[in-house]
PDB file of all heavy atoms in Angstrom:
ATOM      1  N   THR A 311      17.480  -7.485  -4.814  1.00  0.00           N
ATOM      2  CA  THR A 311      16.188  -8.159  -4.602  1.00  0.00           C
ATOM      3  C   THR A 311      15.287  -7.946  -5.812  1.00  0.00           C
ATOM      4  O   THR A 311      14.681  -8.892  -6.343  1.00  0.00           O
ATOM      5  CB  THR A 311      15.505  -7.611  -3.326  1.00  0.00           C
ATOM      6  OG1 THR A 311      16.441  -7.636  -2.254  1.00  0.00           O
ATOM      7  CG2 THR A 311      14.274  -8.408  -2.956  1.00  0.00           C
ATOM      8  N   VAL A 312      15.198  -6.694  -6.255  1.00  0.00           N
ATOM      9  CA  VAL A 312      14.362  -6.390  -7.428  1.00  0.00           C
ATOM     10  C   VAL A 312      14.937  -7.085  -8.668  1.00  0.00           C
ATOM     11  O   VAL A 312      14.193  -7.670  -9.470  1.00  0.00           O
ATOM     12  CB  VAL A 312      14.306  -4.858  -7.658  1.00  0.00           C
ATOM     13  CG1 VAL A 312      13.675  -4.546  -9.003  1.00  0.00           C
ATOM     14  CG2 VAL A 312      13.522  -4.184  -6.527  1.00  0.00           C
ATOM     15  N   PHE A 313      16.246  -7.059  -8.798  1.00  0.00           N
ATOM     16  CA  PHE A 313      16.873  -7.671  -9.981  1.00  0.00           C
ATOM     17  C   PHE A 313      16.510  -9.154 -10.061  1.00  0.00           C
ATOM     18  O   PHE A 313      16.099  -9.652 -11.113  1.00  0.00           O
ATOM     19  CB  PHE A 313      18.400  -7.489  -9.921  1.00  0.00           C
ATOM     20  CG  PHE A 313      19.104  -7.967 -11.145  1.00  0.00           C
ATOM     21  CD1 PHE A 313      19.035  -7.249 -12.328  1.00  0.00           C
ATOM     22  CD2 PHE A 313      19.819  -9.162 -11.136  1.00  0.00           C
ATOM     23  CE1 PHE A 313      19.667  -7.703 -13.484  1.00  0.00           C
ATOM     24  CE2 PHE A 313      20.449  -9.628 -12.276  1.00  0.00           C
ATOM     25  CZ  PHE A 313      20.377  -8.888 -13.451  1.00  0.00           C
ATOM     26  N   ALA A 314      16.617  -9.842  -8.929  1.00  0.00           N
ATOM     27  CA  ALA A 314      16.315 -11.282  -8.920  1.00  0.00           C
ATOM     28  C   ALA A 314      14.843 -11.530  -9.259  1.00  0.00           C
ATOM     29  O   ALA A 314      14.526 -12.445 -10.035  1.00  0.00           O
ATOM     30  CB  ALA A 314      16.642 -11.870  -7.551  1.00  0.00           C
ATOM     31  N   ALA A 315      13.944 -10.705  -8.686  1.00  0.00           N
ATOM     32  CA  ALA A 315      12.503 -10.901  -8.945  1.00  0.00           C
ATOM     33  C   ALA A 315      12.195 -10.677 -10.426  1.00  0.00           C
ATOM     34  O   ALA A 315      11.423 -11.428 -11.041  1.00  0.00           O
ATOM     35  CB  ALA A 315      11.686  -9.951  -8.073  1.00  0.00           C
ATOM     36  N   ALA A 316      12.793  -9.646 -11.007  1.00  0.00           N
ATOM     37  CA  ALA A 316      12.532  -9.353 -12.419  1.00  0.00           C
ATOM     38  C   ALA A 316      13.092 -10.469 -13.307  1.00  0.00           C
ATOM     39  O   ALA A 316      12.406 -10.951 -14.224  1.00  0.00           O
ATOM     40  CB  ALA A 316      13.145  -8.001 -12.793  1.00  0.00           C
ATOM     41  N   MET A 317      14.308 -10.899 -13.019  1.00  0.00           N
ATOM     42  CA  MET A 317      14.913 -11.957 -13.843  1.00  0.00           C
ATOM     43  C   MET A 317      14.091 -13.249 -13.736  1.00  0.00           C
ATOM     44  O   MET A 317      13.896 -13.951 -14.732  1.00  0.00           O
ATOM     45  CB  MET A 317      16.366 -12.208 -13.425  1.00  0.00           C
ATOM     46  CG  MET A 317      17.304 -11.033 -13.698  1.00  0.00           C
ATOM     47  SD  MET A 317      17.447 -10.556 -15.435  1.00  0.00           S
ATOM     48  CE  MET A 317      18.703 -11.680 -16.004  1.00  0.00           C
ATOM     49  N   ASP A 318      13.583 -13.542 -12.508  1.00  0.00           N
ATOM     50  CA  ASP A 318      12.730 -14.733 -12.335  1.00  0.00           C
ATOM     51  C   ASP A 318      11.480 -14.636 -13.203  1.00  0.00           C
ATOM     52  O   ASP A 318      10.918 -15.649 -13.618  1.00  0.00           O
ATOM     53  CB  ASP A 318      12.292 -14.876 -10.870  1.00  0.00           C
ATOM     54  CG  ASP A 318      13.400 -15.452 -10.011  1.00  0.00           C
ATOM     55  OD1 ASP A 318      14.419 -15.904 -10.574  1.00  0.00           O
ATOM     56  OD2 ASP A 318      13.258 -15.424  -8.768  1.00  0.00           O
ATOM     57  N   ALA A 319      11.019 -13.383 -13.408  1.00  0.00           N
ATOM     58  CA  ALA A 319       9.818 -13.180 -14.230  1.00  0.00           C
ATOM     59  C   ALA A 319      10.169 -13.073 -15.720  1.00  0.00           C
ATOM     60  O   ALA A 319       9.301 -12.768 -16.546  1.00  0.00           O
ATOM     61  CB  ALA A 319       9.095 -11.918 -13.772  1.00  0.00           C
ATOM     62  N   GLY A 320      11.442 -13.260 -16.044  1.00  0.00           N
ATOM     63  CA  GLY A 320      11.860 -13.240 -17.444  1.00  0.00           C
ATOM     64  C   GLY A 320      12.108 -11.848 -17.991  1.00  0.00           C
ATOM     65  O   GLY A 320      12.108 -11.647 -19.214  1.00  0.00           O
ATOM     66  N   ILE A 321      12.321 -10.878 -17.093  1.00  0.00           N
ATOM     67  CA  ILE A 321      12.562  -9.500 -17.545  1.00  0.00           C
ATOM     68  C   ILE A 321      13.952  -9.075 -17.079  1.00  0.00           C
ATOM     69  O   ILE A 321      14.271  -9.200 -15.889  1.00  0.00           O
ATOM     70  CB  ILE A 321      11.522  -8.533 -16.936  1.00  0.00           C
ATOM     71  CG1 ILE A 321      10.119  -8.954 -17.321  1.00  0.00           C
ATOM     72  CG2 ILE A 321      11.791  -7.078 -17.369  1.00  0.00           C
ATOM     73  CD1 ILE A 321       9.041  -8.346 -16.442  1.00  0.00           C
ATOM     74  N   ASP A 322      14.759  -8.576 -17.980  1.00  0.00           N
ATOM     75  CA  ASP A 322      16.058  -8.030 -17.575  1.00  0.00           C
ATOM     76  C   ASP A 322      15.879  -6.524 -17.366  1.00  0.00           C
ATOM     77  O   ASP A 322      15.747  -5.773 -18.336  1.00  0.00           O
ATOM     78  CB  ASP A 322      17.120  -8.290 -18.646  1.00  0.00           C
ATOM     79  CG  ASP A 322      18.503  -7.851 -18.176  1.00  0.00           C
ATOM     80  OD1 ASP A 322      18.579  -6.974 -17.279  1.00  0.00           O
ATOM     81  OD2 ASP A 322      19.496  -8.370 -18.714  1.00  0.00           O
TER      82      ASP A 322
END
Side-chain angles (χ1 to χ4, degrees):
T311 310
V312 169
F313 185 73
M317 294 299 275
D318 282 350
I321 302 162
D322 186 336

